[in-house]
Amino acid sequence: MQINIYKALWGMEGTYEEQFKRIAEAGYKGIEASLPSPKDSERFKALLQEHRLDFIALIATSGADHALSFAEQVERCLDFKPLLINAHSGKDSMTFRDQVAFFTQALMIEEQAGIPVAHETHRGRAMFTPWGTRNLIEELPSLKLTADFSHWCCVCESLLHDQEECLRFLFPHVIHIHARVGYAEGPQVPHPGAPEYAGELQAHEAWWEQIITTKRAAGYTAMSITPEYGPPGYMHTLPFTGQPVSDLWEVCLWMANRVEEQFRAPLENATSHQSG
């Protein structure tokens, strides 16, 4: 199985030209980002092609009609030919009946578009808990997920030790991973390499490994992973000064290199042994 690592534009500074160049030179497979403004669309597409970067589109439903919001954004994504669409879908305040109605429409829109849509396990959204997400997938087994379990750690105030059965049920539905490490009181540790968060890192890596193993056994040939860490508001800052406690680019690159070390080499070795 191929492990493809993407860089989120979230929190990056500078022009698109500067951002794309830096990402390509760092060796990422592609970028994950919201769609650019209409005036920047052609430049955005040209830069993807120039730097040979794949694209994962990020959308977020809003307004009184989340299904309409979803449909409009998916339609606009088509022009960018993304590998997949990562969606912040629905609201946590929706009734289960309304969530099912929304996702039923979302699946039909996805089928018409012909691009895989992964619904993110995100706070504030329909899939903000493990058990709620399981209920939705039991109702609609075709739903696909972006696994960002850092949100669930925060919502559940734990490393999900009591949700292992639920997680195992959901792993086969994951098609994209956000490799951000959360903890019981928040969605992002100050730095995933800090020794005081070794337990949190180990827990997240165990989940990612199980997802990759599950997908590989099912015949999948590639898995996309974005080490998506956020700027202040997500990143911790020092009191009074607002100074970030870590460098966002370095944190993402550390996690990207860690994913390479933990997952890509073992998978390549396993493939080599099988073919030999």
Side-chain angles (χ1 to χ4, degrees), residues 24-233:
E25 289 177 347
Y28 287 97
K29 175 70 171 175
I31 68 167
E32 179 174 338
S34 301
L35 297 179
S37 65
K39 69 180 180 65
D40 290 325
S41 293
E42 293 307 314
R43 179 164 63 109
F44 190 94
K45 287 185 284 188
L47 286 167
L48 286 172
Q49 186 172 6
E50 176 186 343
H51 293 286
R52 298 181 180 178
L53 293 169
D54 292 337
F55 179 46
I56 293 174
L58 172 63
I59 66 173
T61 67
S62 62
D65 189 337
H66 281 261
L68 177 62
S69 173
F70 180 84
E72 291 174 344
Q73 292 179 74
V74 169
E75 177 66 24
R76 186 160 177 249
C77 284
L78 298 180
D79 193 38
F80 294 84
K81 298 180 173 57
L83 173 79
L84 62 87
I85 297 170
N86 177 42
H88 292 193
S89 301
K91 285 293 293 179
D92 54 2
S93 55
M94 285 178 168
T95 66
F96 182 70
R97 180 179 178 179
D98 286 344
Q99 289 178 358
V100 171
F102 163 76
F103 283 110
T104 298
Q105 293 182 69
L107 285 170
M108 291 188 292
I109 294 163
E110 176 188 0
E111 184 177 4
Q112 292 168 359
I115 298 173
V117 177
H119 302 277
E120 187 172 340
T121 61
H122 203 289
R123 288 171 301 150
R125 297 294 177 172
M127 294 180 174
F128 74 107
T129 68
W131 52 88
T133 305
R134 177 172 184 166
N135 290 341
L136 284 166
I137 288 182
E138 285 177 335
E139 189 77 20
L140 299 168
S142 297
L143 286 172
K144 294 175 281 294
L145 303 178
T146 291
D148 190 339
F149 297 148
S150 65
H151 290 285
W152 286 353
C153 291
C154 181
V155 170
C156 299
E157 290 195 312
S158 71
L159 292 180
L160 311 180
H161 298 304
D162 61 343
Q163 295 297 316
E164 292 181 0
E165 181 182 351
C166 188
L167 290 172
R168 285 194 297 271
F169 174 85
L170 295 172
F171 289 155
H173 297 271
V174 174
I175 63 169
H176 182 48
I177 294 172
H178 276 181
R180 185 172 67 241
V181 176
Y183 63 113
E185 302 303 333
Q188 179 172 302
V189 299
H191 194 297
E196 59 267 34
Y197 292 106
E200 284 79 3
L201 176 63
Q202 182 180 30
H204 285 70
E205 287 183 334
W207 298 326
W208 304 335
E209 181 178 15
Q210 290 177 72
I211 291 167
I212 291 168
T213 299
T214 299
K215 303 305 283 187
R216 182 167 173 265
Y220 282 71
T221 58
M223 172 61 70
S224 57
I225 300 178
T226 301
E228 189 212 38
Y229 288 77

Side-chain angles (χ1 to χ4, degrees), residues 6-19:
Y6 290 72
K7 176 69 181 72
L9 296 193
W10 185 28
M12 289 193 70
E13 299 178 347
T15 65
Y16 277 144
E17 285 79 4
E18 292 167 337
Q19 293 177 33

